[in-house]
Amino acid sequence: MFDYSCPGCGQCCGTSLPDHVGAPCHLCAAAETWERLPVETREAIDTAIRRAAMPGLLAMRAADPPIRLPHATDLLAFRYNAGVIGDSMDR
Ligand SMILES: [Zn+2]
């Protein structure tokens, strides 16, 4: 196991792969993906996430280029951290 600080947010990361040392953590990678998305796509995804996690994941897969699992779950966590939470979600 290798421990290092994420270059984006400085939080402690661990990896079993030496090649991954110094790579952004999952949330920072998700933030980068999010910033590359067009505004309309972001709005479609946020609207879907507010309904529930599943429509959110489907909206990400429908994005261009598609965001697939497991990265889609990182993006979902990133949006939850940003305060996009569906009213019907169990937390
Ligand atoms: Zn980070």
Side-chain angles (χ1 to χ4, degrees), residues 29-46 49 56 59-68 71-72 75-76 78-79:
E32 278 176 24
T33 300
W34 186 251
E35 269 157 32
R36 281 198 299 269
L37 291 174
V39 174
E40 311 87 74
T41 307
R42 295 186 202 184
E43 283 174 358
I45 291 172
D46 274 355
I49 290 175
M60 288 182 215
R61 204 175 63 181
D64 185 27
I67 302 159
R68 299 182 187 283
H71 191 48
L75 200 56
L76 194 63
F78 169 74
R79 295 314 292 153

Side-chain angles (χ1 to χ4, degrees), residues 4-13 20-26 28-29 32:
Y4 65 96
S5 298
C6 166
C9 62
Q11 81 161 316
C12 229
C13 304
H20 284 195
V21 172
C25 68
H26 288 299
C28 286
E32 278 176 24

